[in-house]
Every structure is written in C-alpha cells, then in structure tokens.
Amino acid sequence: MRCAAIPKNKIKEAIGVLVKDYSVVAPAKRNGLLEFQKITDIGDDIIKAIDNDELPYKSPKEFLFPQLEKLMVFNNGCNLVEEEVEDKTVIIGVKPCDLEGLKVLTAVFSEGKYKDEKVIKRRENIILVGTGCRSKKPGCFCDERGVDKNFSKDCDIFIEKPDGYGKNYEFYSFTDTGDYVLDKFASKGLVADAVMDIPKSKPEAESQKAQLIIEADENTLFNKIDWGKIAEKCMGCGTCTYICPTCHCFDFKDVLEDGKAVRYRCWDSCMYPKFTLHASGHNPRPSKKERYRQRILHKYIYVKQNFGYIACTGCGRCIRSCPAGMNIKSVVHEIMGVLKSE
C-alpha cells in the first residue's frame, strides 16, 4: 500500500490526471436524489462527490452489472455480430459498503464454476476510487456486518478527505493501477511530499468484526425458523433486490431489432412469484414465505458457501426503501435469537 498527500489547491488538477482518457462516474443529484451517473464536468462536481458524506440512493453496481445489457447480436445470416468495446471508466466516491458489494459481485461473476467474461472484462476496465463515511446513516448497519465505514482497501485508490484545518487529501493505492496514478501525480508535481510506502493496513480497517452472521445449516434454518411469520409483511415488490448492491438475479429476453436478433440480459428479482416458475408449471417457491427465505439464505448462507462472502453489506438501502417496513437486520437478529435459544 502506498500513499500520496495532495494539497487542497491541487486536487482539481490531480482529479484531471486521474480521469484522463476515462469515462467518469460519480454521485450527483438528479431529481433530488443522489445517484451514481456519468459526469461531464470534470471539476466541482467530482470534488463534491469526494467531499459529500451522503450515501447515494443506489450503489454503482449497474456500472459493473448493467440493468439491461446486450449479450449477443445475430444478423440475417445467423452470424454473430461483434459489439463495440466499452469505454474505460473511473468510478469516484464509492463508499466502503458499496466497495464491499462490488467485491461480492466480482467474485460471483468471476470465480467458481460459472464465469461471466463480459463482467470480468468490464471490471478490468474500471478504476474504483473510494471515499469514507464520516457519519452513520439512518438504517445503516455496516458496523454489524464488519464493514468499516471510514476506510476500505477494496478499491484501486481510496481518498481520505481533510478534516477541519487539514491541508491535504490523502490518496491510498492498493493496486498496480493505483500505484501508476500516484506516480503520475508525483511526475506532475502534485504531491505535497514524496509518494510513501505505509504500514500494510490501517488499524481501524482491521478492527471491524462482523456481529450479524447466521451459523446454521440449511435444514436447521428451514425447519426451526417461522418463515411465514417473518415474511408476513412482505409485499413481494422486489424493491429490496433492485436497490441491493449485491443482488444479481437476471433473466434473458430475445428480441428482433433492425433486422437483427438480439439477446438481452435484464435484472430480475427472486421476490417475484414467477421467478422460479418452471415450464412444467411447477414452482419450488410458490409463496412469499419460500421467496423471502431464499433471499435471506442466499445472502447469509449460499454466497458465503460458494464464494466466502456474506452478500449483505449493511448499507441499509433495503430498509430505507421498503414500503412495508421490512428490516433485514431485525430479521437476522431474530433468526440468531431463535438459533441461540435452541
């Protein structure tokens, strides 16, 4: 890990070096909501994105795993048409919980038995620039999930903002790409001192220990937990899945466009009644009880078994957005309480 201090009066110039030749994505206000979107003003908007302590309404997952994605195109001769290569992108202002989410998504699409070359290639073309949260937001429980809101190493560069009378932004690098950017800063005279190697990890980044975990096998969870009672309020609208930084259910749609056959991948939701409906008419998750159980176990059991991560970052977006007041943190605490009493 390396670090460079960038004086406040040179931060715009440094950002200019960072984003040179890249499409830029950063949090910006749209219709009153703070959302990750493409930025064309490489100046004040990006500084605001770095300095802003507000958690964006949505995570930046759609820039790694798009909501609607063209997978393949065939022409009239049934030949596969080559698609244009996507731009390189730098995503700035990503909070630690969302960096955790992107880490989980990257593992799901790039490790194990099934690999997705499109997502892998897209991730290779993204520079992730993280920033911390100064305050805990309503509904957030990242601390209980073991995610440090102040700092993260799951990115190429992490920027620490100056506090109070601080004179410098601190840029931490964790990858070869990050090191290259810091060297560019140095070559252009933008760093306050020399680029430094620093201790392997910041102590606060290592001190977080997840408290919210489920330690039981599937059979125990199927039989001991009253899923009907837990899912009683759920409306099955799927809002929680669309807004979650780690959910990744999808469907395929084949359409005819301009005389070409196009296959799209589009987000779907495991909370919808027909998501698991088989062509035979059988549905293994016929009621919301089974669907909500799947949502919890997928996040806290199945992804962990397959990839080593719990697919809940504690960002709290599902809690803040649920029209029925469902609270995944309370649900997991309830499950932990039942298991402890056994």
Side-chain angles (χ1 to χ4, degrees):
M1 183 164 68
R2 302 170 72 202
C3 177
I6 308 295
K8 281 182 177 178
N9 62 359
K10 294 185 177 179
I11 186 67
K12 278 189 182 180
E13 192 177 347
I15 293 299
V17 171
L18 173 63
V19 304
K20 189 174 186 297
D21 301 326
Y22 282 79
S23 294
V24 181
V25 171
K29 290 279 185 180
R30 175 190 291 167
N31 299 324
L33 289 177
L34 186 70
E35 290 188 77
F36 282 95
Q37 53 191 287
K38 290 196 172 182
I39 300 290
T40 54
D41 179 9
I42 311 301
D44 292 340
D45 280 353
I46 294 184
I47 305 303
K48 285 179 187 173
I50 294 171
D51 289 341
N52 196 339
D53 196 43
E54 186 179 348
L55 184 68
Y57 172 66
K58 296 187 296 183
S59 81
K61 79 171 177 182
E62 64 197 72
F63 295 94
L64 178 66
F65 170 51
Q67 188 166 3
L68 182 67
E69 179 177 16
K70 193 179 288 185
L71 286 184
M72 56 183 72
V73 179
F74 292 91
N75 61 21
N76 278 335
C78 298
N79 298 312
L80 188 63
V81 178
E82 292 292 330
E83 293 294 301
E84 293 181 3
V85 178
E86 296 181 47
D87 292 339
K88 292 186 175 182
T89 303
V90 55
I91 306 179
I92 297 176
V94 189
K95 303 298 187 190
C97 57
D98 287 338
L99 291 171
E100 180 77 10
L102 292 171
K103 180 176 73 176
V104 173
L105 276 184
T106 301
V108 168
F109 286 107
S110 65
E111 298 177 11
K113 188 175 179 180
Y114 303 103
K115 296 181 172 62
D116 188 304
E117 294 302 326
K118 276 190 171 285
V119 175
I120 292 171
K121 185 67 178 176
R122 192 173 294 120
R123 177 63 189 91
E124 290 172 352
N125 283 333
I126 291 175
I127 295 179
L128 284 178
V129 181
T131 58
C133 283
R134 289 197 172 99
S135 61
K136 189 175 177 180
K137 314 299 184 292
C140 289
F141 54 99
C142 56
D143 52 343
E144 293 190 57
R145 280 293 320 113
V147 176
D148 181 0
K149 67 178 173 50
N150 300 300
F151 192 78
S152 173
K153 295 184 289 184
D154 297 319
C155 53
D156 297 289
I157 293 174
F158 192 90
I159 303 176
E160 283 208 334
K161 298 160 278 192
D163 273 329
Y165 296 102
K167 297 179 180 178
N168 301 322
Y169 288 82
E170 293 180 351
F171 282 59
Y172 294 87
S173 162
F174 306 104
T175 63
D176 291 342
T177 300
D179 289 348
Y180 173 78
V181 172
L182 297 195
D183 289 338
K184 290 282 284 184
F185 289 167
S187 69
K188 292 183 177 296
L190 298 175
V191 299
D193 297 303
V195 176
M196 299 177 293
D197 290 324
I198 58 176
K200 190 173 182 181
S201 60
K202 293 169 69 69
E204 62 267 35
E206 298 294 325
S207 63
Q208 303 294 313
K209 185 176 180 182
Q211 304 163 27
L212 205 64
I213 54 177
I214 298 175
E215 294 181 309
D217 60 39
E218 186 182 64
N219 285 335
T220 300
L221 292 164
F222 268 49
N223 297 320
K224 298 293 184 184
I225 306 301
D226 187 348
W227 293 104
K229 177 172 173 285
I230 284 177
E232 200 169 22
K233 288 194 302 182
C234 178
M235 298 168 62
C237 65
T239 299
C240 54
T241 57
Y242 281 90
I243 209 164
C244 174
T246 68
C247 278
H248 50 272
C249 290
F250 59 82
D251 195 4
F252 296 118
K253 297 290 182 187
D254 294 335
V255 299
L256 189 63
E257 285 184 355
D258 300 326
K260 298 175 183 174
V262 183
R263 169 160 292 182
Y264 284 99
R265 171 166 59 191
C266 49
W267 290 1
D268 204 340
S269 172
C270 60
M271 302 307 290
Y272 293 158
K274 293 183 179 178
F275 180 72
T276 50
L277 180 62
H278 297 183
S280 66
H282 171 63
N283 191 341
R285 298 180 205 143
S287 75
K288 63 183 180 182
K289 177 185 79 172
E290 291 88 7
R291 294 191 287 274
Y292 196 79
R293 179 183 65 198
Q294 167 65 21
R295 173 169 169 74
I296 298 298
L297 298 197
H298 187 238
K299 292 196 167 299
Y300 279 82
I301 301 294
Y302 303 144
V303 172
K304 184 180 178 185
Q305 288 174 343
N306 290 325
F307 302 102
Y309 302 118
I310 291 177
C312 175
T313 70
C315 70
R317 289 187 175 92
C318 59
I319 297 173
R320 291 188 291 273
S321 301
C322 179
M326 297 292 287
N327 186 317
I328 191 171
K329 183 182 79 167
S330 300
V331 167
V332 176
H333 272 298
E334 182 178 340
I335 293 169
M336 292 168 64
V338 172
L339 296 173
K340 191 175 180 180
S341 67
E342 289 294 318

